[in-house]
Amino acid sequence: MYADTQKLPIDYRQNIQTRRKAIGHSPSFILAVCSILFVCVHQLIANIIIDTTNPVNYVFTVVSIVSMIIYQLYILLNDRYYRNNRLLLICSMSILYFALLYLFMFSGLTRALYLCSILLNLVIYKQFKLSGSEKKKIYWFFTVVVFAMLLNGTTKDGVDDNKINPNTCGLLLMLLFSMSIVRYHKTKGLVNLVIALLSFGLQFVYQSRTAMLGCICFILLLFMFCRRKQYCLSKSAGYVMLFFSLIGLLAAYWYSGYLFEKIGRGNVTIFGKDLFTGRQYIWNLAFESVKDHLWFGVGSDFNTDLAVAQNNNALVNVHNQSLGILTSFGIIAFVIFILVFSYLVSQSCVANDKRKKKLSYRVPIVFFVSLLIMNFSETNFFYSWSVVIMAAYSFICNSCRRPSTRREIARKPSNQRCEWIKSAE
């Protein structure tokens, strides 16, 4: 990240060397490692404290995510390029709105924090690149953590639902599968290919239909995009993210309103499970909730009374990310989040647009499109697994970039940058 600093002006070169000596690694690396460790500790606490009403788990989550957001803002505010950058302003205004929304409802705090953290992660992982050794460390650390969590939650009789959910196992394997495919493409390492195949094969063991769909979408979209010769601009990536975010709402409405009536229960099974597992009932309730609380949502209080009456905690989960945001925070927050999210993902492709290579600028788009398709029936952005998703994205996004140059190190206001670099030469 800080290579070739000898040709920069002395004051800025000293500043780079001081920061490098102080932290030792790039901010993206530190943030990714902290995210993976957070999920490990969070899962450990959940295994120890099985009672979901215990406040320890909730307090740990809130304190950890707030600390992470403070660190993310600290990174950006200490960077001279982002002090007056519109990306930081957009994220800050989004965080302010979610904070005011929580003060208005006093519900849905952890969900709002996870969404804000996702937006800040997109900014940081775009700007602060990972070195080759850092990418290697993140990949192997992630691999060890995933298999350790799978072994901890698996017994001779199958997956222990009290320790880890099968859909969570599938999500972790899908992330590892995507990272392994990207790393194999870059390094041609046989071990990476074996891990990718193993991750895909284990999907049949844990039988997560959404994760299997994510793996299939990732490899098919990657193949389709790599076959194309047309150049894809970053602006198109933003439109694609926006499109699939909105399609999530239409999919839930079509699934619950029309498909269930046409097919019926028990006629289609996947992995031994009926295609209609009750989500159609939850989504009908969610759309009714949106009609009654269109502007500000209900926070995390969706179906709480019904869940207590039926002793079924699954009823409080909307199981659709787009509909979940709309139900929890209302239409204003929904529009703000999907617009900012789509814009930031498109900006992640800006650095790679100039390369015009088949894989380099398309993998981040393919990765997020696959996740959005998975989120048609899940709400992964509302839980601790969202930070793991962003840690995997940091590896995937940075694996598709060229090495840092001094033009990227020397961040100055756009109207001064060219003259300043020329003078440095």
Side-chain angles (χ1 to χ4, degrees), residues 38-51 54 56-58 60-61 64:
F38 160 74
V39 171
C40 293
V41 177
H42 186 273
Q43 186 65 26
L44 180 63
I45 293 177
N47 291 341
I48 296 175
I49 306 174
I50 300 178
D51 185 10
N54 195 304
V56 174
N57 198 353
Y58 178 80
F60 169 78
T61 301
S64 300

Side-chain angles (χ1 to χ4, degrees), residues 9 133 157-158 161 168 195 226 237 239 260 285 312 358 363 379:
S133 61
D157 299 327
D161 292 338
T168 301
I195 294 176
C226 288
Y239 294 145
F260 178 67
L285 294 175
N312 186 1
K358 290 182 178 180
V363 171
T379 51

